[in-house]
């Protein structure tokens, strides 16, 4: 007599990992996600969620590895590119981050967060004029983003622009 396996068993581990993630039991969540990968090596969601956990644990290098695996499985997964960019920013690898942010923007030109992250990279690289361009794109997508107005004004202060006060008023 043979035992018939439920083909959706990997979903059980996946759903359990989400609950464990939500209650911050990250190591247990990773164990369940690794089981998902063992059962279904092409389940990009498992790699993605491990990447998110690695970010929560501030292990950005490993997070990047998992998000790269997601991209290998699905080259159009903008969230993976964004999370690699975010991790690179935390690691202060701004030029590398810009490459991934550009890919996010290519995949989704309306991704406000990508423009905001790009503006931040340019700011940290002291490229204030370029940062202002990206803060303007953020504001165009969401004119309620007060932080974009504020940071744009800070860039203008660094550039000794007399119009810096206008953006501070909008903040």
């Amino acid at each position: 007599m043979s035992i018939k396996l439920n083909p959706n068993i990997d979903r059980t581990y996946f759903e359990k990992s989400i609950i464990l993630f939500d209650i911050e039991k990250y190591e247990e969540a990773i164990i369940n996600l690794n089981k998902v990968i063992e059962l279904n090596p092409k389940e990009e969601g498992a790699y993605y969620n491990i990447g998110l956990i690695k970010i929560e644990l501030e292990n950005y290098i490993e997070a990047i590895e998992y998000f790269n695996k997601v991209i290998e499985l699905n080259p159009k997964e903008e969230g993976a590119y964004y999370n690699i960019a975010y991790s690179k920013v935390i690691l202060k690898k701004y030029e590398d981050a810009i490459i991934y942010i550009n890919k996010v923007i290519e995949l989704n030109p309306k991704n406000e967060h990508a423009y905001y992250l790009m503006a931040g990279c340019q700011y940290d690289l002291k490229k204030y004029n370029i940062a202002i361009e990206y803060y303007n794109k953020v504001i165009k997508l969401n004119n309620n983003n007060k932080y974009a107005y504020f940071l744009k004004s800070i860039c203008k202060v660094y550039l000794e622009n007399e119009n810096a006060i206008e953006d501070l008023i909008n903040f």
Side-chain angles (χ1 to χ4, degrees), residues 8-167:
N8 294 320
I9 194 79
D10 61 315
R11 293 305 312 164
T12 304
Y13 289 107
F14 192 85
E15 298 301 327
K16 184 177 178 185
S17 74
I18 291 171
I19 293 166
L20 291 165
F21 179 87
D22 287 344
I23 60 173
E24 300 179 7
K25 293 192 174 204
Y26 300 126
E27 296 305 324
E28 290 178 53
I30 289 173
I31 290 168
N32 281 271
L33 290 165
N34 280 326
K35 187 66 175 171
V36 172
I37 293 168
E38 179 184 318
L39 294 167
N40 183 1
K42 294 189 181 217
E43 174 53 62
E44 69 185 75
Y47 297 101
Y48 192 96
N49 286 359
I50 292 174
L52 291 177
I53 291 168
K54 295 296 182 178
I55 286 175
E56 286 294 320
L57 297 173
E58 299 180 0
N59 190 334
Y60 301 105
I61 293 170
E62 283 187 32
I64 291 167
E65 292 171 14
Y66 281 97
F67 290 120
N68 275 323
K69 182 63 178 176
V70 172
I71 292 168
E72 181 183 313
L73 294 169
N74 180 1
K76 295 192 183 287
E77 175 49 63
E78 76 179 85
Y81 292 100
Y82 181 86
N83 284 307
I84 289 172
Y86 173 80
S87 296
K88 298 265 186 191
V89 167
I90 297 296
L91 295 170
K92 299 187 184 314
K93 295 184 177 200
Y94 304 114
E95 298 290 348
D96 291 344
I98 288 169
I99 294 166
Y100 289 93
I101 297 167
N102 281 327
K103 186 64 178 179
V104 174
I105 292 169
E106 175 189 320
L107 291 169
N108 181 1
K110 295 188 184 291
N111 188 319
E112 171 189 347
H113 302 290
Y115 291 110
Y116 192 82
L117 193 60
M118 179 69 87
C121 285
Q122 300 300 338
Y123 177 91
D124 288 333
L125 291 169
K126 299 185 183 345
K127 296 179 180 178
Y128 302 117
N129 283 320
I130 299 171
I132 289 169
E133 290 175 29
Y134 282 100
Y135 286 126
N136 283 334
K137 290 179 182 190
V138 172
I139 292 165
K140 185 176 180 184
L141 290 169
N142 177 4
N143 65 359
N144 292 318
N145 189 321
K146 301 294 184 184
Y147 295 107
Y149 285 105
F150 176 72
L151 292 169
K152 178 180 160 184
S153 70
I154 298 299
C155 290
K156 287 181 176 181
V157 168
Y158 281 118
L159 294 170
E160 298 180 9
N161 184 317
E162 68 269 1
N163 296 325
I165 194 70
E166 288 176 28
D167 293 312

